[in-house]
mmCIF file of all heavy atoms in Angstrom:
data_model
loop_
_atom_site.group_PDB
_atom_site.id
_atom_site.type_symbol
_atom_site.label_atom_id
_atom_site.label_comp_id
_atom_site.label_asym_id
_atom_site.label_seq_id
_atom_site.Cartn_x
_atom_site.Cartn_y
_atom_site.Cartn_z
ATOM 1 N N ASP A 167 114.483 78.701 75.998
ATOM 2 C CA ASP A 167 114.627 80.161 75.934
ATOM 3 C C ASP A 167 115.598 80.537 77.051
ATOM 4 O O ASP A 167 115.297 80.329 78.234
ATOM 5 C CB ASP A 167 113.235 80.794 76.166
ATOM 6 C CG ASP A 167 113.285 82.318 76.229
ATOM 7 O OD1 ASP A 167 114.363 82.883 76.514
ATOM 8 O OD2 ASP A 167 112.225 82.934 76.040
ATOM 9 N N ASN A 168 116.762 81.083 76.685
ATOM 10 C CA ASN A 168 117.791 81.243 77.726
ATOM 11 C C ASN A 168 117.537 82.382 78.708
ATOM 12 O O ASN A 168 118.356 82.638 79.578
ATOM 13 C CB ASN A 168 119.209 81.274 77.130
ATOM 14 C CG ASN A 168 119.422 82.497 76.286
ATOM 15 O OD1 ASN A 168 118.583 83.419 76.311
ATOM 16 N ND2 ASN A 168 120.510 82.531 75.526
ATOM 17 N N SER A 169 116.355 83.027 78.594
ATOM 18 C CA SER A 169 116.050 84.004 79.651
ATOM 19 C C SER A 169 115.181 83.361 80.748
ATOM 20 O O SER A 169 114.851 84.010 81.738
ATOM 21 C CB SER A 169 115.338 85.217 79.063
ATOM 22 O OG SER A 169 114.081 84.849 78.574
ATOM 23 N N ARG A 170 114.836 82.092 80.571
ATOM 24 C CA ARG A 170 114.004 81.439 81.604
ATOM 25 C C ARG A 170 114.874 80.877 82.717
ATOM 26 O O ARG A 170 115.977 80.385 82.476
ATOM 27 C CB ARG A 170 113.189 80.304 80.970
ATOM 28 C CG ARG A 170 112.122 80.830 80.047
ATOM 29 C CD ARG A 170 111.031 79.810 79.786
ATOM 30 N NE ARG A 170 110.091 80.421 78.868
ATOM 31 C CZ ARG A 170 109.847 80.002 77.622
ATOM 32 N NH1 ARG A 170 110.415 78.897 77.176
ATOM 33 N NH2 ARG A 170 108.998 80.643 76.869
ATOM 34 N N ARG A 171 114.317 80.918 83.944
ATOM 35 C CA ARG A 171 115.042 80.437 85.118
ATOM 36 C C ARG A 171 114.112 79.543 85.909
ATOM 37 O O ARG A 171 113.058 80.000 86.365
ATOM 38 C CB ARG A 171 115.425 81.614 86.016
ATOM 39 C CG ARG A 171 116.541 82.468 85.494
ATOM 40 C CD ARG A 171 116.103 83.886 85.173
ATOM 41 N NE ARG A 171 116.884 84.431 84.058
ATOM 42 C CZ ARG A 171 117.929 85.209 84.206
ATOM 43 N NH1 ARG A 171 118.298 85.591 85.382
ATOM 44 N NH2 ARG A 171 118.598 85.631 83.152
ATOM 45 N N VAL A 172 114.506 78.296 86.055
ATOM 46 C CA VAL A 172 113.616 77.333 86.713
ATOM 47 C C VAL A 172 114.367 76.609 87.827
ATOM 48 O O VAL A 172 115.513 76.193 87.637
ATOM 49 C CB VAL A 172 113.085 76.305 85.679
ATOM 50 C CG1 VAL A 172 112.297 75.197 86.369
ATOM 51 C CG2 VAL A 172 112.216 76.997 84.618
ATOM 52 N N ALA A 173 113.716 76.476 88.988
ATOM 53 C CA ALA A 173 114.263 75.625 90.055
ATOM 54 C C ALA A 173 113.319 74.450 90.256
ATOM 55 O O ALA A 173 112.102 74.635 90.359
ATOM 56 C CB ALA A 173 114.388 76.411 91.361
ATOM 57 N N VAL A 174 113.892 73.254 90.289
ATOM 58 C CA VAL A 174 113.128 72.046 90.618
ATOM 59 C C VAL A 174 113.540 71.667 92.037
ATOM 60 O O VAL A 174 114.721 71.439 92.302
ATOM 61 C CB VAL A 174 113.484 70.912 89.628
ATOM 62 C CG1 VAL A 174 112.972 69.573 90.136
ATOM 63 C CG2 VAL A 174 112.924 71.216 88.234
ATOM 64 N N LEU A 175 112.560 71.635 92.949
ATOM 65 C CA LEU A 175 112.873 71.314 94.346
ATOM 66 C C LEU A 175 112.303 69.934 94.674
ATOM 67 O O LEU A 175 111.096 69.702 94.516
ATOM 68 C CB LEU A 175 112.277 72.375 95.278
ATOM 69 C CG LEU A 175 112.704 73.813 94.992
ATOM 70 C CD1 LEU A 175 112.067 74.785 96.006
ATOM 71 C CD2 LEU A 175 114.230 73.969 95.022
ATOM 72 N N ARG A 176 113.181 69.040 95.100
ATOM 73 C CA ARG A 176 112.732 67.677 95.452
ATOM 74 C C ARG A 176 112.603 67.574 96.967
ATOM 75 O O ARG A 176 113.615 67.527 97.687
ATOM 76 C CB ARG A 176 113.732 66.649 94.919
ATOM 77 C CG ARG A 176 113.765 66.630 93.401
ATOM 78 C CD ARG A 176 114.748 65.592 92.884
ATOM 79 N NE ARG A 176 114.760 65.608 91.427
ATOM 80 C CZ ARG A 176 115.818 65.303 90.677
ATOM 81 N NH1 ARG A 176 116.966 64.939 91.246
ATOM 82 N NH2 ARG A 176 115.725 65.335 89.370
#
Side-chain angles (χ1 to χ4, degrees):
D167 175 338
N168 66 11
S169 66
R170 291 199 181 115
R171 287 115 211 262
V172 173
V174 166
L175 304 181
R176 294 181 180 150

